[in-house]
Amino acid sequence: ANCPNILNLVNKTTLIEAMQIAAGATYAVCSDTSLMHCALLGGANTVSLSCGRAKDLFVNYPADSGVRQKVFLPSVRDAQGVGRIEDIAWQPVWQYIEEHWLKS
């Protein structure tokens, strides 16, 4: 969809540029968590879509921490716990965005 308030910067920025943009975002949907943490430093609401590498490291911050982020993992993973971002169920992602971002 063509929306002037949404920037899709996949494969269009350097890492440093992406980190700077993420740090200034109001809302950010990121793959994995590195850019998510840059966005969190700037106070953004974030969603991280992770493949599940080192699954135990991808935990959501406690609700009372004031950090506004959510990590989604794929429902299908191999024996090492690694999945594909494409296998993340999108309905819970959109439901989270609607409940936490669009109703504020």
Side-chain angles (χ1 to χ4, degrees):
N2 185 11
C3 181
N5 298 321
I6 295 175
L7 298 174
N8 179 355
L9 300 174
V10 175
N11 295 323
K12 296 179 183 175
T13 61
T14 66
L15 178 58
I16 298 299
E17 291 169 334
M19 292 169 72
Q20 291 170 334
I21 292 166
T26 303
Y27 299 96
V29 177
C30 310
S31 61
D32 241 312
T33 61
S34 55
L35 290 176
M36 178 202 73
H37 282 94
C38 292
L40 287 172
L41 287 172
N45 293 281
T46 66
V47 165
S48 178
L49 308 175
S50 175
C51 68
R53 286 187 309 268
K55 182 179 101 175
D56 297 338
L57 298 176
F58 295 107
V59 295
N60 293 304
Y61 287 89
D64 62 356
S65 69
V67 175
R68 298 173 305 257
Q69 68 74 235
K70 177 76 173 166
V71 175
F72 288 92
L73 299 166
S75 55
V76 178
R77 296 191 194 97
D78 65 19
Q80 288 78 36
V82 177
R84 299 179 321 148
I85 289 175
E86 293 87 353
D87 293 325
I88 292 174
W90 285 97
Q91 183 177 359
V93 175
W94 287 118
Q95 182 177 349
Y96 178 86
I97 289 171
E98 287 176 354
E99 290 175 2
H100 293 88
W101 295 4
L102 302 179
K103 291 187 179 180
S104 54

